[in-house]
Structure formats: C-alpha cells, structure tokens
Amino acid sequence: MIKFFNSLTRKKEEFKPYNEAAVNMYSCGPTVYYYPHIGNMRAYLFMDNIRRVLKYNGYKLNGVMNITDVGHLTSDADDGDDKMLVASQREHKTPWEIAKYYTDVFMNDVKRLNIDLPEHICPATSVINEIIEFVEGLLEKGFAYETSKGIYYDISKFKGYGQLNDIKLEDKLAGARIEVDEEKHNPADFALWVKAPKEHIMQWSSPWGMGYPGWHIECSAIGRKFLGDHIDIHTGGVDHRAVHHENEIAQSDALVGHKVVARWMHLEFLQVDGGKMSKSLNNIYTLNDLQKKGFDPLDFRYFYFMAHYSKQQNFTFDALTSAKNSLKNMKNAVLEHKNGQNALGEDKIQEYKNEFLNAINDDLNMPVALAVCQKLLKEEKSRDVYNLMMQFNEVLGLDFEEKGEEIPEEVKLLAQQRWQAKLDKNYALADELRGKLVSSGYAIKDSKEGYTITKL
Ligand code: AMP
Ligand code: ZN
C-alpha cells in the first residue's frame, strides 16, 4: 500500500488513482527566465521521486509539467513586471529567445540528474486558446469580472477559497485593505487575463482586446488539456501553496463544478548554510557551479535522498561531499557484488524487497530506503545483492553501471595477469601489475571468489 501526505487534508493517506489505467499527475514547472538553481532542482527530483515510486509499484504515468514563458510577475501576487520581459531587457534578447535558451538549460540540468520527465511538457504560450476558453468559462459562470486592466477572478464567489491553507474565506476577504486597484472587488482577487499596453512585447488577441494571461491560469488550463477533470497528484514547492495553488483550485474547481485535484504534495525548501538561498547572500548555486567544484550531478541526486522531502534540507559543501563519498562507496559495493558467488536465499531476498518497498511507499521515505540498501550491501558477496540493487535503482536512478564507461580491455587484461601472478605466488609481479592498474586510474579489490575492478 502506498501512502502519501496530502497537503489538502493534512493527512497521510492511502494512494488510489481515480482511474487505475494511469496516474494523472501535474507538476508546476520552471519559469524560464534565468538559470535554475539547485533548490529548483530539488523540486524536480521530488517529482521524479514520486514518478519512479509509482512506476516501481506498477502504475502507468500520465504526467504533465508546464513551462512558464509568459505571465509570471516578479511578485507572485499581481505586482511587478513579467519575469520574461525583465530578462529580455537584461539580456537584450526577445522573450522567445530567453524562453528557448533557459528551457534548454533546464532540460540539460534535469537530464544530467536522471530526472524521469513527464509525458507532456507544455509551454504556457502554446495554450493561449485554451486559456482564453477557460477564462470565458469562468466569466460565464460568474466567477470572473472585467475591469479596465483585465479579467479578474472574484474569490468571494468561490466558497472553498482558502481550503489548501486552512484559511476561511471570510477571513481572507476581511484581510487588510491595502488595495491600490479600486476596480477590484476584493484585494485577493487575481488576474486571469491582463490587457496589454501597446508596447508590451508578448500579447495575443482575445475577446477582451490584446493581452496576455495571468500566471495561475496556465496551470489550470494545461492540467485540463492533458489530464481532464480528475488529477490524482499535483506537486510543487511550498512557496506555491499559499497563493498559486489556492488560485489554481479556485479556477479549476469553479469551472468544472467539483474537486479536480485529489492530492496536493508539497516539497519543503532547500536552505543554504542554514538560511535562504538568495542573490544578495551570493549563495545561489546551479548544477554547473557544483560541477566546477568537482561534483557529479548524481552526487546532488544522492544528497536529495538523504532528507525527507517534507523537511527543509540544509545544503553545505560538507554535506554534498559526504553524499559524494556515500555514492562512490555504494557504487563500488554494488559492483563488488556483481561477481559474488554466495547466494542470499529466497527469504532474505524477499525480506529486503519488502523493506525497500515499505520505505518508499511510506510517503517516499528515502533516507530509510538508503539505509536498507546500505544493510543489503554489507551481505556476503552475492550476485543476488547486485540484482536487488539494480532493481532498487529503478527508484534511485544512480547509474551504478557507468553508461558507456566500460572498463577498457587492456585494464581487464592487466587485472587478469595480476590475478594469475597471485595464484602463482609471484607477489612481486602482482604488486607491479597492481601499480600499473592504479596509474591507469583503476583499483582492484580481492575477495574469496575473485577480484573486482573499480574506477578510482
Ligand atoms: P520557479 O521557476 O521560480 O517557478 O520555481 C520552480 C520550482 O522550484 C517551484 O516548484 C518552486 O517551488 C521550487 N523552488 C524554488 N526555490 C526552491 C528552494 N530553495 N528549494 C526547493 N524548491 C524551490
Ligand atoms: Zn503551477
């Protein structure tokens, strides 16, 4: 049985998809206006974690992620400038060039982290018609109104507003009035569509003149287009819970007349040196920054597994180094089991499988899943251990067998000659050959059954 914590009910619940044929999953994706940092990557590792665990349990996935390439203002409320336009001015490129460039950067990062990508990846600018239809639907149903600035969602019309954050609608409406826009009915009403001034670069024609979508509507429209009116899981970082996701619920549920998303899953933030990652503290790191310091992207993937997603995780280079070492040891241990001659036994194999499954199915308890792997790797050298680890790796995604990095033939030959020298009790030659292996970048480890070659 899989159990996930649902932010909506604030309980750990048994997971059951609406339709057994496939799990409908929506993940809020990146705003492609700048280099994604490793905090962002934690959000996509979280998405990957859910996807792989569901697949491991035999589910088929129907996943969607949006790419925000229009409409996300510098403040998540409706203030500030569109992040894409700010970037466009900063880099003297069109918003389209900015979107293309940073989407490529993002895709390259997630690929290097072995992130299992959703079946559909959808830029907001490719669903403008769907967004307009969605807004028209909300206007028809009386949940939206027009002002001189655009089309706004009237939160007082949606009784469930505030449910995700356990805030009563009356309290939300009674909130301090610091509103500057006199035309809005309630301060927390938000833009569905913005009427664009002539000089605005990104704009489309609509029943309300030229304009562009608000930020929140893209997720409701994209979710509906690819997943329909029943979404099993919706993921995102905790920062989106208070405004963006509350607004998504208001839009989607109001249009279709029932609860669209069954489960909301939120990831806690990655902190740096115990504090926030921020430009002013100069502590924002990208995957490239880590690589420049000698880390592999998969070291960061292992680091992700060391904390539960619902807890803040503190990033330090010491912690990343410890992840790197653990991953290296794990990889070597897995390979040492590859030629192991002992049998683990059916009962033990089953026991380990259950322990691993129970850990991942207990709301993605990856630290416990790692502990199960560590215990397993301490068993006598056995091909069964290797096989189990390869199976668990469908969830871990850690590349135990280097892709395309086969051990070269001449290294294998040296290792063979050294083993023979040992058997012949010619220890001087054996040592000399070991030295040659080390200077070629390979280590050799002996066991009762034979030897294993690993990269240094
Ligand atoms: P953005 O591109 O700003 O829309 O953010 C992309 C994703 O990264 C969102 O799901 C955010 O919640 C998430 N995110 C941003 N900062 C962090 C952080 N420090 N730790 C974890 N997730 C984050
Ligand atoms: Zn979203």
Side-chain angles (χ1 to χ4, degrees):
M1 186 210 297
I2 307 178
K3 282 191 160 190
F4 287 145
F5 184 84
N6 182 355
S7 307
L8 190 60
T9 57
R10 289 162 275 281
K11 278 196 213 100
K12 218 195 256 188
E13 298 168 343
E14 180 178 351
F15 175 74
K16 277 254 171 286
Y18 182 77
N19 185 340
E20 287 287 335
V23 176
N24 277 343
M25 176 164 159
Y26 190 92
S27 303
C28 284
T31 307
V32 282
Y33 69 110
Y34 201 55
Y35 295 98
H37 55 66
I38 53 174
N40 299 135
M41 285 302 134
R42 189 180 190 215
Y44 306 112
L45 283 165
F46 171 55
M47 171 191 80
D48 162 278
N49 202 182
I50 300 174
R51 287 178 56 82
R52 285 177 182 261
V53 165
L54 288 169
K55 284 185 176 176
Y56 190 83
N57 279 273
Y59 285 111
K60 219 175 143 273
L61 264 292
N62 185 24
V64 185
M65 181 170 66
N66 62 302
I67 300 271
T68 301
D69 54 358
V70 65
H72 194 172
L73 305 186
T74 42
S75 148
D76 282 356
D78 297 321
D79 304 324
D81 299 316
D82 188 315
K83 292 185 180 189
M84 297 303 295
L85 298 188
V86 174
S88 147
Q89 278 151 16
R90 181 186 66 220
E91 300 185 20
H92 310 290
K93 289 182 184 161
T94 67
W96 312 100
E97 286 165 342
I98 295 284
K100 163 95 180 63
Y101 178 77
Y102 290 111
T103 301
D104 288 349
V105 169
F106 171 79
M107 295 305 273
N108 189 29
D109 278 5
V110 292
K111 221 166 90 193
R112 285 184 295 161
L113 284 166
N114 279 351
I115 286 174
D116 183 40
L117 282 172
E119 287 60 31
H120 311 279
I121 294 181
C122 179
T125 50
S126 71
V127 288
I128 299 294
N129 286 341
E130 286 85 346
I131 289 175
I132 291 172
E133 275 169 32
F134 208 112
V135 177
E136 284 181 312
L138 288 174
L139 277 165
E140 267 164 39
K141 291 197 157 189
F143 287 96
Y145 58 93
E146 185 169 359
T147 76
S148 62
K149 297 205 175 61
I151 310 297
Y152 282 83
Y153 189 97
D154 186 342
I155 64 159
S156 70
K157 296 282 164 58
F158 183 64
K159 298 295 162 255
Y161 198 84
Q163 57 185 286
L164 186 60
N165 294 278
D166 208 13
I167 298 169
K168 288 202 174 67
L169 176 59
E170 305 88 75
D171 296 342
K172 191 84 192 172
L173 293 173
R177 248 194 186 275
I178 38 157
E179 190 50 58
V180 281
D181 184 350
E182 289 295 329
E183 289 181 85
K184 270 166 69 173
H185 296 180
N186 311 285
D189 289 355
F190 55 92
L192 296 166
W193 185 263
V194 185
K195 295 178 181 173
K198 266 208 178 64
E199 64 278 12
H200 204 272
I201 317 176
M202 298 180 102
Q203 47 179 301
W204 294 263
S205 71
S206 79
W208 321 287
M210 295 302 285
Y212 58 93
W215 173 41
H216 316 292
I217 193 71
E218 71 180 76
C219 287
S220 288
I222 292 172
R224 184 145 204 255
K225 174 172 178 170
F226 292 98
L227 306 176
D229 295 335
H230 290 278
I231 298 180
D232 296 303
I233 303 174
H234 192 309
T235 71
V238 278
D239 56 328
H240 287 165
R241 182 177 165 156
V243 179
H244 181 52
H245 291 162
E246 199 69 75
N247 292 352
E248 272 193 49
I249 293 178
Q251 295 164 156
S252 302
D253 292 12
L255 187 78
V256 306
H258 64 73
K259 194 188 286 307
V260 171
V261 174
R263 238 160 254 95
W264 288 84
M265 293 180 69
H266 287 104
L267 162 94
E268 260 297 345
F269 259 35
L270 182 76
Q271 304 276 95
V272 175
D273 294 323
K276 198 173 144 52
M277 244 193 292
S278 83
K279 279 210 182 90
S280 57
L281 294 172
N282 200 19
N283 64 2
I284 293 180
Y285 300 109
T286 63
L287 211 52
N288 275 355
D289 293 333
L290 303 190
Q291 280 193 296
K292 275 182 214 145
K293 288 181 185 281
F295 295 95
D296 186 276
L298 296 188
D299 298 337
F300 185 69
R301 187 176 169 91
Y302 191 100
F303 171 84
Y304 164 85
F305 293 134
M306 288 163 69
H308 193 258
Y309 76 84
S310 65
K311 304 271 186 309
Q312 286 188 348
Q313 187 175 22
N314 190 30
F315 177 84
T316 62
F317 279 100
D318 281 350
L320 187 62
T321 303
S322 137
K324 183 185 179 68
N325 291 335
S326 302
L327 174 57
K328 192 171 159 205
N329 293 340
M330 179 176 271
K331 229 173 177 172
N332 288 343
V334 169
L335 296 179
E336 280 170 19
H337 280 284
K338 194 170 181 178
N339 299 317
Q341 300 296 319
N342 297 293
L344 193 56
E346 260 322 301
D347 287 354
K348 264 195 161 175
I349 291 177
Q350 204 47 52
E351 224 173 88
Y352 278 111
K353 276 189 188 173
N354 290 344
E355 277 187 45
F356 185 80
L357 190 69
N358 289 342
I360 59 172
N361 284 0
D362 178 18
D363 196 25
L364 311 170
N365 199 335
M366 297 314 293
V368 170
L370 281 189
V372 174
C373 295
Q374 306 291 5
K375 190 169 88 176
L376 170 63
L377 289 167
K378 289 202 182 93
E379 294 282 353
E380 299 265 336
K381 296 287 166 279
S382 162
R383 178 83 188 184
D384 296 333
V385 171
Y386 172 83
N387 290 340
L388 271 177
M389 283 302 292
M390 292 316 272
Q391 196 177 326
F392 297 166
N393 204 34
E394 286 165 27
V395 175
L396 301 174
L398 288 170
D399 288 358
F400 294 135
E401 296 275 12
E402 301 278 349
K403 288 183 214 142
E405 265 201 59
E406 272 285 294
I407 292 171
E409 284 308 315
E410 61 271 21
V411 171
K412 285 188 194 161
L413 187 66
L414 275 175
Q416 235 170 34
Q417 287 167 346
R418 179 193 156 268
W419 185 247
Q420 192 54 49
K422 249 187 96 169
L423 293 179
D424 298 343
K425 299 200 171 20
N426 186 349
Y427 298 116
L429 180 62
D431 281 351
E432 188 191 321
L433 291 167
R434 179 196 281 273
K436 278 193 182 163
L437 281 162
V438 170
S439 48
S440 322
Y442 291 87
I444 194 119
K445 198 164 171 186
D446 296 335
S447 63
K448 271 179 278 170
E449 302 87 20
Y451 58 90
T452 37
I453 313 168
T454 52
K455 250 189 130 176
L456 275 173

